[in-house]
Amino acid sequence: MNVANKITMARIFLVPVVMIFLLVRFDLGSIQFGQVTITVSELIATLVFVLAAVTDGLDGYIARKNKIVTNLGKFLDPLADKLLITAALISLVEMNRLEAWMAIVIISREFAVTGLRLIGAVEGKVIAASALGKAKTIIQIVAIVALMLNNIPFAEYSIPFAFIAKWLAVMITVISGVDYFYKNRKFVSLTTSNSKQ
């Protein structure tokens, strides 16, 4: 349990904190931005989410720089990412700020790619994150933050930033998922062949 893995674990522990502040109605007051109101609880949840998202790159950087990459870290890092994004999406659906089908598409893609990576691991191949995959993560985070903040400050200028961001997140999620499976189709073919034997 080195420093990098501790940061990853901290990200996992922040997941329920985000959900609690989003879904539990604490009487902490609210903040008015023009015609849009956001509760203090939602603002706290957003800040915690951003903090957790920032640690995603930090733990990997520390592990590589100090040459302390471990199998535990390789397992925990993607798990922490999936938990954070999934928890945020489900919370937003509960808050009626995100369509359920959008959350299902994004979450399904994450599980599918994780499965593909497991197949690759069995065959001794590491399927690294692609440029599309990294862009997908960034856009998902931006969309989630915009939805958590109820489109503040863009709502004041009648700019549907959160609406655009969530649609972009869905589209790039699907595109990057197809890209992963196309580039690694040999593993899918290999698995299919083995299942028929």
Side-chain angles (χ1 to χ4, degrees):
M1 185 59 70
N2 55 46
V3 175
N5 290 343
K6 287 179 180 178
I7 293 174
T8 305
M9 286 296 297
R11 185 158 76 254
I12 293 175
F13 286 123
L14 287 177
V15 171
V17 176
V18 172
M19 294 190 72
I20 288 171
F21 277 102
L22 280 179
L23 302 178
V24 178
R25 297 303 172 195
F26 294 108
D27 187 16
L28 301 176
S30 59
I31 303 172
Q32 186 81 23
F33 287 90
Q35 301 298 317
V36 182
T37 301
I38 184 174
T39 66
V40 174
S41 294
E42 290 169 353
L43 182 57
I44 292 173
T46 304
L47 293 174
V48 174
F49 177 82
V50 171
L51 174 64
V54 169
T55 65
D56 179 24
L58 181 62
D59 54 7
Y61 172 77
I62 291 175
R64 289 188 297 271
K65 181 180 180 181
N66 298 304
K67 298 180 180 179
I68 51 175
V69 177
T70 64
N71 289 331
L72 177 63
K74 291 178 182 177
F75 170 75
L76 287 179
D77 187 56
L79 175 64
D81 298 341
K82 302 294 184 290
L83 286 174
L84 182 64
I85 295 297
T86 300
L89 292 174
I90 293 173
S91 298
L92 289 168
V93 170
E94 176 67 19
M95 297 167 68
N96 294 317
R97 293 188 185 175
L98 179 69
E99 290 80 355
W101 73 265
M102 287 185 165
I104 291 170
V105 167
I106 294 174
I107 294 170
S108 297
R109 180 269 185 201
E110 300 300 342
F111 276 106
V113 171
T114 298
L116 181 63
R117 282 185 169 140
L118 288 174
I119 294 171
V122 170
E123 299 300 324
K125 164 97 173 164
V126 176
I127 300 177
S130 65
L132 265 177
K134 293 176 181 178
K136 176 268 306 177
T137 300
I138 293 171
I139 293 175
Q140 283 181 356
I141 291 171
V142 170
I144 288 170
V145 170
L147 291 168
M148 283 183 177
L149 292 177
N150 205 12
N151 200 39
I152 292 172
F154 302 98
E156 180 67 16
Y157 307 99
S158 300
I159 301 173
F161 180 81
F163 177 83
I164 295 170
K166 70 181 180 181
W167 273 98
L168 281 176
V170 171
M171 288 189 289
I172 195 168
T173 294
V174 173
I175 292 170
S176 66
V178 171
D179 179 64
Y180 267 111
F181 275 87
Y182 178 75
K183 289 180 177 177
N184 299 281
R185 57 191 180 279
K186 61 182 179 180
F187 294 118
V188 179
S189 301
L190 182 62
T191 304
T192 304
S193 300
N194 291 338
S195 65
K196 291 180 180 179
Q197 293 178 358

